[in-house]
Amino acid sequence: MRWSGQELGVDQVDALPGLARLNNLVRSVQTPEFAGMTFHEVLAKSALNRVPGQSMMPFGWTINPYRGCSHACVYCLDPSTAITMADGRTKSLAEIQIGDEVMGTRAIGRYRTYVQAKVLAKWSSRKAAYRVRLADGTEIIASGDHRFLTERGWKHVTGAMQGASQRPYLTTNNSLVGFGGGRAVPFPPSTSEDYRRGYLTGMIRGDAMMLRRTYARSTGGSYVAHRFRLALADEEALDRTRQYLESFGVPTSTFQFSAATARRREMTAIRTSRARDFDAITALVEWPKQSTEEWDAGYLGGIFDAEGSCSRGALRISNSDETILCAIEAALSRFRIDYVREGQRENGVSSVRVRGGLSARNAFFAVSQPAISRKLAFAGTTVKTLGDLRVVAIEPLGATLDMLDITTSTGDFIANGVVSHNCFARPTHSYLDLDAGDDFDRQIIVKVNVAEVLRKELARPSWRHEPVALGTNTDPYQRAEGRYALMPGIVDELTASGTPFSVLTKGTLLRRDLPKIAAAAEHVPVDLAMSIAIYDPELQQSIEPGTPSTKARLATVTAVRDAGLDCAVFLMPILPYLTDSKAHLDEALRQAKAAGATSVLYTALHLRGAVKPWFMHWLEREHPELVPKYRSMYYGGNAYAPKEYRRWLGQRMQPLIRAHGLARGTEDPVTGGVRSTALRGGRRAAQQRSGAELPLDIAAPSDPGMLF
């Protein structure tokens, strides 16, 4: 086949040491059509994989033309996108490093809460760019695949109502969730002299002691004492003040001002008693005749560090000096940050309170760049959308741009003030030493000669024409199959040799090969099955990002039936407490029947190997209230749901399956669709006769992508 892409050099491939084990590597290639993915084309030595005899798998042979799955989306943002860090500050996406702490969210019941998240992976790609403009002035440049949280759930930047590109997508009827970033205008605190002067004015006038006093000498005469002292519990602000003073030629000494007590933190102070330094500080903090933007930004940062607070989302700066308060109000007005002057208290102190929630608060911090981190953090607060985050335009830029994305421990992050989705980082490909980030989605092993090797293996006299299952590890109809087209050759070889086979897939690309598969069914037993586990659109997109929607897969079931073939639906896995309600299961079976499904098979969720931490990570992010229940069910090395639960699920499912007319007929109920009497092992035959549920292992540790 031909790629209109770029073949990687030896040095680039060597950057992934585990690939050295692929001594049959032909080449590694990237292409804009699959931005962010690398395909490693190998010459396979074998095509048929024997399932170990001790395995619970009810078939003896499988074929896996791919390792890794290109179903998963690659979401991307412009490198200049502002990312909210865990301490409340912002960094550009280009500055973010693996291991950084950023702000994410976690859903608890009906509400979301801001929480700290760790960056687990970062990658780049080139994709067609779109500008998303919001009513508050926020602009975000992203790929069409990127997803944002709206009032109606997660939605891609672009999509379609029907066809292969069908998926939820943004329209001008949507509003994004978050606080927005339209008003944030950062002023780097260390690059502007005016900013430093403004910061020192706010800090020193707000909280320092400056004393010039004449004292009488005991021996007669008098002297003038000069005292400057600034004592703070937050060393970040103290260090910044000391450094800024030094930049203007004013050295200070540091000392312990007060020790920590049960009620108060330790305080450290800086000071100087030199008349020259005192005079220099006095000149530095003089009110300017006409302030600049940089001076006003610095002043807000300094006075906030000195006298500000941010508690429960309310940002206040308090003081009794009317000149200081008026300067605060003038600076806020300059940056169009809404505020209100609160009434004077008995001690003569008044407060200027910033209005507008997190949007205004973050605009204030982006402008003022205060030093004290603890005042900036807002983890633990509820996600509320107070600004006008209506989508007003989605504009194609007409260009392919370099873009970046990250994976976080919560599965999301805050980009330009809105909640942004990312890919899961899950531990896969360990046999090739590929990282625990997104290599499963990005490093795809392709057995380009699989059909040729299969032909030789099927021609051996020892081959007994046992049923072969496709789709038990990686999906044979993932997106990459559209380019490599390996399945037609596999189907041809199995048919020519008289070998029964089954196909289990989530991919709607199956439709391409239906004429060939229908022809094969005239010569060998063939069964097809679509994996459709989740019938709630929001939950499906959350746990299966990048895969075809439930609606698209049901349409593929209909296409299989129109081709004259039976089609089973694998309702696998059923998720305890999420998709096991009678209403959900009844609706799932109704939709499957309406699409033309001839039967339904089901299993409860089971978690093995690398799949378990991946799923539990998702559960902690999306449904933390269920974590204790799942841990009690899948504790330790237990991969399968408890027998009591499986028995209960069977008692719920079997009457529903019969009521919808979706019970299996003469087909083997556990092979994934292959009609075969050659069950491997008496235990399986006994379970089949008793009607017990078999925990079908469609989630091998080497490929958690087929878990759902």
Side-chain angles (χ1 to χ4, degrees), residues 228 230 238 242 246 250-255 269-273:
F228 163 77
L230 176 66
L238 193 68
R242 176 179 53 78
E246 288 179 355
V250 180
T252 58
S253 59
T254 304
F255 67 101
I270 58 175
R271 66 186 174 189
T272 181
S273 300

Side-chain angles (χ1 to χ4, degrees), residues 515-690:
K516 183 179 288 291
I517 294 173
E522 297 178 3
H523 303 280
V524 295
V526 173
D527 263 310
L528 302 180
M530 286 295 296
S531 174
I532 315 176
I534 302 171
Y535 292 75
D536 176 274
E538 185 173 350
L539 179 60
Q540 189 265 334
Q541 283 298 312
S542 172
I543 203 166
E544 298 182 324
T547 61
S549 67
T550 297
K551 183 177 180 181
R553 285 185 245 180
L554 288 168
T556 303
V557 172
T558 303
V560 172
R561 297 291 287 133
D562 290 344
L565 299 167
D566 288 346
C567 189
V569 166
F570 274 31
L571 193 58
M572 300 181 179
I574 294 173
L575 308 178
Y577 307 105
L578 287 173
T579 63
D580 62 355
S581 70
K582 187 173 182 180
H584 182 96
L585 296 172
D586 187 55
E587 176 61 16
L589 294 173
R590 185 195 67 77
Q591 291 189 37
K593 183 68 174 181
T598 49
S599 60
V600 166
L601 292 96
Y602 69 95
T603 62
L605 172 72
H606 72 282
L607 301 170
R608 280 180 45 181
V611 175
K612 192 168 187 176
W614 176 84
F615 179 82
M616 292 304 294
H617 165 75
W618 175 85
L619 191 71
E620 288 172 1
R621 177 175 66 86
E622 295 291 340
H623 298 281
E625 74 282 3
L626 296 181
V627 170
K629 295 181 179 180
Y630 272 75
R631 284 178 176 161
S632 67
M633 294 177 70
Y634 299 95
Y635 67 90
N638 187 20
Y640 299 101
K643 290 182 180 179
E644 295 77 10
Y645 177 84
R646 284 183 278 161
R647 186 178 300 111
W648 171 87
L649 184 61
Q651 291 171 351
R652 169 163 288 186
M653 278 295 296
Q654 289 167 13
L656 289 173
I657 288 175
R658 289 194 295 269
H660 286 279
L662 290 170
R664 289 294 248 184
T666 59
E667 303 93 329
D668 183 334
V670 292
T671 60
V674 175
R675 296 183 180 89
S676 170
T677 58
L679 282 175
R680 296 165 50 240
R683 179 176 58 171
R684 291 180 179 78
Q687 285 175 306
Q688 183 184 353
R689 288 192 298 271
S690 67

Side-chain angles (χ1 to χ4, degrees), residues 199 203 207 232 234 236-237 240 300-308 369-372 375-376:
Y199 183 89
M203 172 57 72
D207 209 20
L232 297 172
D234 293 285
E236 294 165 303
R240 180 185 286 188
L300 289 175
I303 194 63
F304 178 80
D305 278 343
E307 301 280 20
Q369 297 287 317
I372 301 175
K375 293 185 178 183
L376 278 66

Side-chain angles (χ1 to χ4, degrees), residues 156-195:
H156 296 268
V157 172
T158 63
M161 293 294 292
Q162 58 187 3
S165 298
Q166 181 185 27
R167 61 187 184 184
Y169 63 95
L170 294 178
T171 71
T172 52
N173 292 322
N174 294 135
S175 290
L176 301 192
V177 173
F179 45 81
R183 291 180 293 171
V185 184
F187 288 87
S190 61
T191 58
S192 165
E193 179 178 322
D194 272 4
Y195 177 93

